[in-house]
Amino acid sequence: MNCSEYRLKFPALSELLLIGDDEEAPELSAWRDHDRQCIECSDWRLAQGIIRRGYDPDAFPCVHLADQVTQTCDQHPDPHDCPDVLIIYDPRFDEYSIPIRDGGSSSVPIAYCPWCGVRLPESKRDC
């Protein structure tokens, strides 16, 4: 499968992924393989999810952090409480961090994206 075919089939095949059909069609398998092997298409897929959630992926340092910080959880309104949240963004300080799961709201600031290595903005927090 090439990139054009991958993107053309995205709407239909991403619906199959949401349904969670146990019997995987060969076409879906080829689509998944391309997603795993092609960084550009994998990032494009993440961007589609961000856009669907109502955000502009270009407003973030990278698509990976945008994907992380734009996800919401119905069970945990506070991202510090959700075990699925890997990265938290604090707009007051323009700061990305990894939450510490100790029942509080502590987190460890990060300077680079853990997925792609892009340099993140300097924190506006007073040291």
Side-chain angles (χ1 to χ4, degrees):
M1 178 172 293
N2 63 36
C3 296
S4 296
E5 196 176 0
Y6 172 92
R7 293 175 189 202
L8 182 66
K9 293 180 181 203
F10 171 76
L13 295 179
S14 61
E15 276 299 312
L16 283 179
L17 291 174
L18 291 175
I19 294 169
D21 190 1
D22 288 346
E23 291 186 34
E24 189 165 305
E27 188 175 46
L28 181 56
S29 181
W31 188 82
R32 281 183 194 239
D33 288 345
H34 183 83
D35 185 74
R36 289 183 192 114
Q37 296 168 2
C38 180
I39 291 170
E40 290 82 13
C41 284
S42 178
D43 288 355
W44 177 86
R45 176 186 47 78
L46 288 176
Q48 299 312 297
I50 296 159
I51 292 165
R52 211 173 315 139
R53 290 190 290 271
Y55 296 91
D56 177 5
D58 294 331
F60 298 86
C62 68
V63 71
H64 309 101
L65 290 176
D67 181 55
Q68 289 296 313
V69 302
T70 61
Q71 293 188 37
T72 58
C73 176
D74 294 338
Q75 296 175 356
H76 305 98
D78 182 347
H80 283 91
D81 296 334
C82 183
D84 295 330
V85 171
L86 302 176
I87 304 291
I88 292 177
Y89 177 69
D90 188 337
R92 296 174 300 165
F93 304 117
D94 194 20
E95 184 177 87
Y96 294 86
S97 61
I98 299 171
I100 297 172
R101 305 289 182 203
D102 63 357
S105 61
S106 298
S107 60
V108 177
I110 58 174
Y112 297 90
C113 172
W115 291 273
C116 69
V118 71
R119 177 88 168 112
L120 303 179
E122 290 292 323
S123 173
K124 307 224 178 357
R125 183 184 301 265
D126 290 335
C127 297

